[in-house]
Amino acid sequence: MGSHAHRLKIQNDISTYTILPLEKRGSTREGKETVKALFAGLEEDFSKRIKNGDYLVAGSNFGCGPDAEQAVLALKFSGVGAVVAKSFSRIFYRSAMNWGLSLIECETNYIDDMDELSLDLDRNCLMNLSKGVRVDIKPVPKMLKKMLSKGGVIQYFRDMHTLSEVA
Amino acid sequence: MRQTIVEKILSEHSGKRVKAGDAVVANVDLCYGNDCTGQDVASAFLSLGAEALIDPARVFMVMDHAAPSPSIPAAGAHHRIRSFSSEYGSRVLDVGLGISQQALMEAGHLTCGDLIVGADTHTTTCGALNAMAVGVSATDVSLVMASGKCWFRVPETIKVIFEGVLSKGVYAKDMALALLKETGAVLSEYKAIELEGSSVSDLSMDGRFTLSSMCAETGAKCGILKADKKTFEWIKKHSAKEPKPQDPDPDARYAEVRKIDVSALSPKIARPHSAYDVCDIDDAIGISVDAIMIGSCANGRIEDMEVAARVLKGKKVAKGVKLIITPASRKTYLTMVKKGLVELFIDSGATINNPGCGPCAGKHQGVLGDGEVALSTSGVNGVGRMGSPRSDIYIASPATAAATAIAGKISDPREYKRKL
């Protein structure tokens, strides 16, 4: 059993402003309250439609624009299992890894809204169960897989004992 | 071998041989926040529960974006950053010292081969010193403060080779704009750019900083240059740190190699609201402007000021037009005073700000109102960057900016060929 794909109306160059409009943002770590504002004005009731583990599907340069950790956190708290896109903006990619939001880079043209998908990180592929198609994904480096499994960079650094005198 | 410059720097700093596509945790030589990001950096650090900075001498907070503070919230941010720094020992480069990268480099904190991160998009500017300089988030900087380390996805590199001799009135800024026109954001996304070739070698360090600063606009992770005699001389003048230059291997693997012949370049303009919407000056001549801004991490250094002064000498800024000049650093400002440029600019009708980012970030010192049109020597012209979302920003070189200030409309600096 896979989870479902949510294909956005706009596909390319979705900026951090579009993901979470500026006026809806709280301070960095108040992601939970901002989930309802995700894609406000673009995708109605996005947060209600997303079921835990579902995939958000987009085109290229997802998350462009200024750094917005709040946008990453809102996506994470919405229950999105992974964002699947052709490419991600660099700063968004960093913030997503930092906060434990999985990002998958692959061809997304042939994924339709509500297709059933299943991700296999060990084989670097995404199965489209609805269409019976297998898509290769850009391998996620081992270190980043580990970081994601720990929920982000902070726990990863703690477990490496690299933080100075952590209380 | 087969390594690019960034692969070498990340290998050196992580203790293992890395290649593009790997992800590593590496030791960072220096990190910083500014007066916009410093509060987030400080609170992210506090939330880690770490008791101390792992090495306070490597942590800087620079007051450059809205300094001196133009509002009560900005003053509060400055105050909180200073309080955090006095408690934890991070070093403050305070109001008036200038733009973070320029101030840090001139204070001698950087050298060839260094790995630097900043909570600032234009951290790339330091790449001209053969350092890998990357803009990151507040969380990343806070982790460097607590651990001395940061994670990196090792980027692929695009090599850009500039060949040929620039004609009069054409500068490093025009080279950068030509590159933006060629590459666009998508090509260089998540990649490093190595800039080389005879035209890059011919540039002064000031011109090279323009190139590495503008690499931020391409969406690249960093822009980096090889070190040569000019680099070593510049570093020796400013820093006691031992340079550890890194050259790419002759057989290094690149995602792409591009050659740009600069001999035929004419002055370029980036139109509102994208740094990729670049045209030759001929296609923009005559557009009326309300304000001209000379400054920023792209073009606020002494060479930029000298070029603008040569054009403006004996001329006046057009009626109804504001020419706002912002030196990139205190050192630039002092040199301007000593060389008589300040007097010349004032005589021409310009207004001079204290060193810093000036109006480029839209926070103070010349914010644009509804319907206003500006020509700026900075690198960023997105919607609302310098103030109102209903203002327009054109991007060009300091020579083009000065010629435009005299006419009140976009003008070709080659009209002043004999002065250049």
Side-chain angles (χ1 to χ4, degrees), chain B residues 82-404:
Chain B
R82 287 193 194 99
S83 306
F84 173 87
S85 296
S86 62
E87 191 177 343
Y88 286 91
S90 44
R91 296 167 72 175
V92 177
L93 300 188
D94 221 312
V95 177
L97 270 166
I99 303 173
S100 55
Q101 303 88 22
Q102 198 63 24
L104 285 164
M105 292 191 293
E106 287 179 357
H109 299 302
L110 271 71
T111 191
C112 303
D114 274 354
L115 177 60
I116 303 135
V117 299
D120 184 314
T121 319
H122 291 95
T123 305
T124 59
T125 309
C126 307
L129 291 186
N130 186 238
M132 181 172 177
V134 181
V136 295
S137 72
T139 301
D140 291 306
V141 172
S142 73
L143 283 161
V144 179
M145 288 156 73
S147 71
K149 295 173 198 297
C150 188
W151 71 270
F152 296 89
R153 190 163 88 160
V154 183
E156 292 183 290
T157 298
I158 299 175
K159 189 199 276 283
V160 179
I161 304 168
F162 288 101
E163 298 283 2
V165 180
L166 290 170
S167 41
K168 274 247 160 83
V170 186
Y171 302 90
K173 183 56 160 288
D174 303 298
M175 289 165 63
L177 290 172
L179 173 66
L180 278 160
K181 188 184 168 84
E182 275 232 9
T183 63
V186 175
L187 185 75
S188 45
E189 188 57 63
Y190 229 118
K191 295 189 177 73
I193 300 180
E194 273 180 21
L195 301 145
E196 60 169 73
S198 61
S199 347
V200 177
S201 307
D202 289 346
L203 292 175
S204 66
M205 287 311 292
D206 281 5
R208 297 177 188 187
F209 291 130
T210 301
L211 285 185
S212 49
S213 168
M214 293 293 290
C215 279
E217 267 57 64
T218 70
K221 183 167 194 151
C222 59
I224 196 159
L225 278 70
K226 290 199 278 192
D228 64 5
K229 212 173 133 210
K230 287 180 192 168
T231 324
F232 296 131
E233 274 169 13
W234 197 96
I235 287 176
K236 205 170 162 193
K237 213 167 117 191
H238 295 92
S239 177
K241 283 181 81 177
E242 185 62 35
K244 312 167 292 280
Q246 297 286 3
D247 274 353
D249 291 324
D251 54 356
R253 273 179 268 212
Y254 293 95
E256 193 178 339
V257 179
R258 292 227 175 189
K259 282 196 180 156
I260 298 178
D261 180 8
V262 306
S263 322
L265 283 190
S266 47
K268 302 263 180 223
I269 299 263
R271 291 177 284 215
H273 303 279
S274 163
Y276 315 116
D277 186 8
V278 173
C279 65
D280 281 340
I281 191 145
D282 288 346
D283 295 326
I285 274 180
I287 295 170
S288 293
V289 299
D290 302 292
I292 293 104
M293 192 281 224
I294 299 178
S296 85
C297 53
N299 281 110
R301 284 166 284 270
I302 191 64
E303 187 177 88
D304 304 315
M305 300 301 169
E306 284 172 335
V307 169
R310 281 203 288 278
V311 173
L312 279 163
K313 191 173 181 186
K315 300 276 182 185
K316 295 279 180 211
V317 174
K319 223 176 156 191
V321 171
K322 307 173 281 276
L323 170 59
I324 296 170
I325 293 176
T326 313
S329 69
R330 178 171 288 170
K331 204 170 164 208
T332 306
Y333 198 8
L334 257 177
T335 314
M336 284 166 64
V337 172
K338 284 180 190 156
K339 292 193 169 184
L341 302 190
V342 168
E343 196 179 338
L344 188 153
F345 286 137
I346 291 172
D347 279 345
S348 77
T351 298
I352 302 177
N353 283 326
N354 60 279
C357 301
C360 172
K363 304 206 175 287
H364 65 165
Q365 296 180 333
V367 172
L368 300 177
D370 288 356
E372 281 198 301
V373 178
L375 184 135
S376 171
T377 65
S378 63
V380 192
N381 65 346
V383 174
R385 168 71 183 191
M386 285 174 67
S388 166
R390 284 178 293 281
S391 58
D392 286 343
I393 307 167
Y394 291 84
I395 301 280
S397 77
T400 303
T404 300

Side-chain angles (χ1 to χ4, degrees), chain A residues 29 61 67 69 88-91 93-94 97-99 105 141 143-144 147 153-154 157-158 162-165 167, chain B residues 21 23-25 44 47-52 134-137 139-140 143 146-147 149-151 153 189-190 221:
Chain A
R29 294 171 205 210
N61 201 23
D67 182 28
E69 297 191 320
F88 294 92
S89 118
R90 186 184 72 81
I91 291 279
Y93 188 93
R94 279 202 80 85
M97 294 299 136
N98 282 349
W99 294 100
E105 285 173 274
M143 193 207 91
L144 295 181
M147 212 158 91
V153 69
I154 295 173
F157 270 46
R158 276 194 211 290
T162 55
L163 300 186
S164 66
E165 319 235 346
Chain B
V24 285
V25 173
S47 73
L48 292 174
E51 277 174 10
V134 181
V136 295
S137 72
T139 301
D140 291 306
L143 283 161
S147 71
K149 295 173 198 297
C150 188
W151 71 270
R153 190 163 88 160
E189 188 57 63
Y190 229 118
K221 183 167 194 151

